[in-house]
Amino acid sequence: MNKAKKILLFDSIIDGHHADYLTHLIRYWVQNRLAGELIVVTQQSFQACFDELTTGQPGGRNVRFVPLPPADIDAVHGALMLTRSFKEWNLVLRYIGQHQPAHVLLMYFDLFQLATWLGRSAPCAVSGIYFRPDFHYKRNPGFKAQLNGFRKKVTLKGALRKSSLANVFCLDHSAVEGLRQLAPAAKVWPLADPVESYSITPAEVQQLRHDLQIDANRRVFLLFGYLDDRKGIEPLLDALKELPKPQQQAVCLVLVGPIQPDYKQKIEQKITDVGGEVQIVRVYQEIKGRQIQLYFELADYALALYQRHVGMASVVVRAAVSRKPVLASDYGYLGHLVQTEHLGVVADTTSPAAIRAMLERVLTTEIPYSKTNLQKLADHNSDVYFAETIFKQLLP
């Protein structure tokens, strides 16, 4: 096998979009029968998905799965953040030494900045996917926040100027120019936040509405993904509690995604406090593949009420695929994108009063949004476009 075409993908995390991103890259490699060898290093739990993508496929013969031992995963995931960067980087170096790739792609570059700058050098080219750059966000005036921002910027600059760093693929397109200014020699590319698209029939949507027992004439507001305190569920429920009764009766909130038992208990109490006028449907489980789009097709509005979220959110892309307007946080790149591209409306999602005002606006007037721009966003964030962007730079 020609070493010049051997690529190693590394990710010690496999939940949510981490598994999706690996899937998109493997599927593209297999379907296009790319020359060389693709080595996928991640958790053992990804094995079944890997086998489904490669077994019996001609293009799957040159794709190899290498499971990370649970002890190694526990060691890096249990470390403090500064220590973790070096521990996980040393783990990457071990697999580089074993497999001798020409190029390694760090699927979550955010973790590795300090170690790639100050740690041991890699004997091959390194690229990474950068999820949440925040060096270009306005800082709080406090000294601690300013110092933390300065530290992050220095670390990022050091990592970007490392000679072995070949490419940085950035999910926050508003940060690309700033990254290039920090390190003019670095190759920084805007990257799609990929979503696979499916063909969904109206009958399927109607069946799901029936299965969830959603009341007729209610508008469906979908909050999708891992349900935790980052998603703005608590201020949303506080806002729904304060809506006038006629507007409460026009709302069906659908919460979809896995949730930890302690947080579930907290949310259930808040749901009780909202009262019975608002219909709240709970689907406390992970939804995958085609079924995800079905929920977005069901929705009238997609909620992206993240609390001070940095970077892009795939919820917005999934909403675009289904041509549904987004109710989003006004913070950071996410808020900027929704506003400037007319994808929906934004508010300060840390404030129940601001969320309530946004909901009242939606329920009493038709909010303007651009279906054309939703279509454009969906087209620019396909799984194929994502993989093409990466392999175009990684393959010689």
Side-chain angles (χ1 to χ4, degrees):
M1 184 63 61
N2 184 353
K3 180 185 173 183
K5 294 184 180 178
K6 187 187 287 190
I7 295 173
L8 188 148
L9 310 179
F10 183 94
D11 200 340
S12 72
I13 308 169
I14 205 56
D15 61 335
H17 55 253
H18 292 268
D20 293 339
Y21 286 11
L22 286 173
T23 296
H24 299 324
L25 293 174
I26 295 166
R27 180 186 291 119
Y28 184 87
W29 183 286
V30 170
Q31 290 181 348
N32 291 276
R33 301 190 187 187
L34 298 183
E37 184 177 9
L38 186 68
I39 303 162
V40 182
V41 181
T42 191
Q43 292 189 28
Q44 178 68 61
S45 59
F46 187 70
Q47 176 87 58
C49 181
F50 177 87
D51 290 344
E52 188 177 325
L53 291 165
T54 58
T55 302
Q57 301 294 325
R61 294 174 188 152
N62 60 352
V63 187
R64 188 147 47 107
F65 181 74
V66 180
L68 287 166
D72 286 341
I73 295 168
D74 291 344
V76 295
H77 288 191
L80 295 173
M81 189 52 70
L82 290 180
T83 311
R84 177 175 176 176
S85 185
F86 290 96
K87 282 192 172 185
E88 194 146 351
W89 176 240
N90 288 336
L91 191 59
V92 172
L93 292 174
R94 187 202 306 171
Y95 283 93
I96 291 174
Q98 288 176 9
H99 299 284
Q100 298 291 306
H103 213 128
V104 61
L105 177 66
L106 305 174
M107 300 296 293
Y108 194 20
F109 176 70
D110 306 49
L111 287 173
F112 292 96
Q113 293 175 52
L114 189 62
T116 52
W117 174 31
L118 298 177
R120 290 186 291 148
S121 295
C124 65
V126 176
S127 292
I129 299 176
Y130 194 8
F131 279 75
R132 298 186 177 90
D134 63 355
F135 67 94
H136 58 313
Y137 283 19
K138 290 182 179 178
R139 299 284 169 193
N140 294 326
F143 174 74
K144 188 176 181 181
Q146 295 286 348
L147 184 63
N148 191 42
F150 176 75
R151 177 187 61 78
K152 284 184 174 182
K153 200 167 184 176
V154 169
T155 303
L156 176 60
K157 192 172 183 178
L160 288 173
R161 295 191 173 195
K162 195 78 174 180
S163 60
S164 59
L165 187 66
N167 304 279
V168 173
F169 302 99
C170 187
L171 290 162
D172 182 340
H173 296 191
S174 70
V176 170
E177 193 52 45
L179 289 168
R180 289 170 175 167
Q181 289 174 7
L182 276 179
K187 292 181 180 178
V188 183
W189 312 98
L191 183 66
D193 194 350
V195 168
E196 188 176 358
S197 181
Y198 303 90
S199 178
I200 306 292
T201 67
E204 290 176 283
V205 177
Q206 194 57 40
Q207 184 62 51
L208 180 60
R209 189 179 185 103
H210 177 267
D211 292 344
L212 297 178
Q213 299 180 12
I214 295 173
D215 297 342
N217 302 319
R218 286 188 186 261
R219 290 199 233 180
V220 178
F221 295 78
L222 173 67
L223 199 153
F224 185 92
Y226 192 89
L227 302 176
D228 59 17
D229 58 3
R230 300 171 304 155
K231 292 284 172 52
I233 305 169
E234 293 164 73
L236 170 63
L237 293 172
D238 290 339
L240 289 170
K241 182 180 176 182
E242 300 303 322
L243 277 179
K245 184 175 177 179
Q247 293 179 16
Q248 288 183 328
Q249 292 171 339
V251 171
C252 175
L253 171 63
V254 181
L255 299 173
V256 182
I259 188 170
Q260 290 296 320
D262 290 349
Y263 193 64
K264 177 183 176 183
Q265 187 176 359
K266 187 175 185 180
I267 292 304
E268 286 296 323
Q269 181 56 57
K270 278 195 165 289
I271 289 173
T272 300
D273 294 341
V274 171
E277 300 298 338
V278 179
Q279 184 180 16
I280 302 179
V281 176
R282 286 86 99 188
V283 184
Y284 291 146
Q285 65 187 63
E286 185 178 6
I287 303 298
K288 295 183 178 180
R290 195 170 183 277
Q291 198 74 4
I292 296 174
Q293 190 173 328
L294 183 54
Y295 275 93
F296 280 86
E297 296 288 340
L298 169 73
D300 294 296
Y301 304 95
L303 300 176
L305 308 179
Y306 297 93
Q307 305 293 283
R308 312 292 284 179
H309 177 73
V310 175
M312 184 51 168
S314 61
V315 165
V316 178
V317 182
R318 293 191 183 281
V321 169
S322 296
R323 312 294 179 265
K324 300 302 169 71
V326 181
L327 310 187
S329 165
D330 61 2
Y331 181 78
Y333 177 61
L334 177 62
H336 172 77
L337 179 70
V338 173
Q339 280 184 295
T340 57
E341 297 299 318
H342 308 290
L343 307 179
V345 292
V346 300
D348 175 3
T349 55
T350 63
S351 164
I355 296 175
R356 173 189 168 181
M358 177 168 63
L359 292 172
E360 287 188 4
R361 178 185 171 193
V362 169
L363 292 166
T364 56
T365 63
E366 289 295 325
I367 62 166
Y369 66 96
S370 171
K371 289 187 177 181
T372 300
N373 286 356
L374 286 169
Q375 172 75 60
K376 195 181 299 181
L377 182 68
D379 291 343
H380 289 170
N381 288 274
S382 72
D383 54 325
V384 172
Y385 193 74
F386 167 85
E388 279 180 349
T389 302
I390 289 174
F391 285 129
K392 184 178 179 182
Q393 302 306 324
L394 267 56
L395 289 171

